[in-house]
């Protein structure tokens, strides 16, 4: 007697698997599946408040600023002093600070808390046409200068570019620059092919 082959359950499994897959697809299409991951802010946080890489740098108002300091704090101080704002604490910033606070270093908080104190001008300025020489044993700092179209002189940088030894002839005064009660002189020295102009601080030179 010939035996009948047994029916396979594969068809049922495939069909069942198809029904299961169809059910999953239908669930996803209807939105009944799991929610996708979204960037909901955690409790107590403020999404998009700029606390990431785009955060504005904060100013350390307790940082003591002095000659050579650089950065946002210096820019803030220069703005308060009403001098050129470049973020570089140089001789002009130092002179302006000394003229209104009688100190050469200060923090922004100290500046705002300290009453204005105007020190006396150290000496009577020299006159245009006078010859100057270095009066410091350590030498006189010389600053590069430039002149605009209207003939006004400016100190180019906050840092000096050379030092003249004690007793050295600095040149003849062609202009007097006043920076908050302190004086700088633009002096000229005649060269072989051209004239050289520099600015020197009043307290580092004397006439002869």
């Amino acid at each position: 007697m010939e035996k009948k082959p047994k029916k396979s359950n594969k068809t049922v499994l495939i069909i069942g698997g198809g029904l299961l897959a169809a059910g999953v697809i239908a669930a996803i299409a209807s939105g009944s599946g799991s929610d996708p991951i979204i960037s909901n802010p955690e409790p107590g946080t403020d999404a998009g408040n700029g606390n990431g890489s785009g955060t504005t740098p904060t100013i350390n108002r307790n940082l003591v600023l002095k000659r050579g300091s650089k950065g946002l704090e210096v820019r803030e101080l220069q703005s308060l002093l009403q001098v050129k704002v470049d973020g570089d604490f140089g001789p002009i910033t130092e002179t302006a600070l000394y003229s209104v606070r009688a100190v050469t270093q200060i923090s922004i908080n100290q500046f705002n808390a300290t009453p204005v104190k105007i020190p006396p001008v150290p000496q009577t300025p020299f006159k245009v046409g006078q010859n100057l020489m270095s009066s410091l044993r350590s030498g006189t700092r010389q600053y590069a200068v430039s002149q605009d179209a209207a003939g006004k002189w400016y100190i180019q940088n906050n840092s000096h570019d050379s030092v003249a030894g004690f007793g050295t002839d600095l040149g003849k005064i062609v202009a007097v620059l006043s920076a908050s009660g302190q004086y700088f002189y633009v002096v000229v020295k005649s060269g072989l092919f051209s004239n050289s102009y520099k600015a020197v601080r009043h307290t580092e030179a004397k006439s002869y």
Side-chain angles (χ1 to χ4, degrees):
M1 182 176 178
E2 185 180 346
K3 292 182 180 181
K4 293 182 180 181
K6 293 181 179 180
K7 291 183 179 180
S8 173
N9 293 328
K10 291 183 178 179
T11 303
V12 176
L13 291 175
I14 292 173
I15 293 172
L19 291 174
L20 177 61
V24 172
I25 293 171
I28 293 174
S30 64
S32 61
S34 299
D35 291 335
I37 298 174
I38 59 176
S39 57
N40 286 330
E42 294 293 331
T45 64
D46 183 12
N49 63 356
N51 289 332
S53 59
T55 302
T56 302
T58 57
I59 294 178
N60 182 357
R61 297 179 181 276
N62 292 316
L63 179 65
V64 176
L65 307 173
K66 56 186 177 181
R67 177 77 76 93
S69 297
K70 300 179 187 294
L72 291 175
E73 292 81 6
V74 176
R75 296 178 69 88
E76 175 86 358
L77 179 62
Q78 290 171 330
S79 179
L80 292 170
L81 291 171
Q82 298 183 344
V83 297
K84 180 181 178 182
V85 178
D86 59 5
D88 188 353
F89 196 123
I92 294 178
T93 302
E94 183 182 65
T95 297
L97 174 60
Y98 184 79
S99 71
V100 298
R101 292 296 186 270
V103 296
T104 57
Q105 60 183 39
I106 201 169
S107 70
I108 295 172
N109 281 341
Q110 288 171 338
F111 181 92
N112 290 328
T114 306
V116 176
K117 182 178 181 180
I118 306 295
V121 176
Q123 301 176 47
T124 302
F126 300 125
K127 307 297 183 183
V128 172
Q130 286 186 279
N131 292 309
L132 297 182
M133 63 184 293
S134 174
S135 62
L136 291 185
R137 291 288 178 184
S138 58
T140 295
R141 292 168 290 185
Q142 299 182 108
Y143 301 86
V145 293
S146 59
Q147 192 175 27
D148 64 16
K152 185 176 181 179
W153 288 95
Y154 294 92
I155 296 177
Q156 292 182 357
N157 301 302
N158 285 331
S159 299
H160 60 278
D161 62 358
S162 59
V163 177
F166 176 69
T168 300
D169 173 34
L170 299 174
K172 181 179 291 186
I173 300 174
V174 296
V176 179
L177 308 180
S178 177
S180 301
Q182 301 280 328
Y183 296 101
F184 286 83
Y185 303 101
V186 178
V187 294
V188 58
K189 289 188 71 173
S190 299
L192 185 60
F193 299 105
S194 62
N195 294 333
S196 174
Y197 294 88
K198 298 286 183 180
V200 297
R201 192 187 293 268
H202 178 83
T203 54
E204 298 180 13
K206 65 179 181 180
S207 63
Y208 71 95

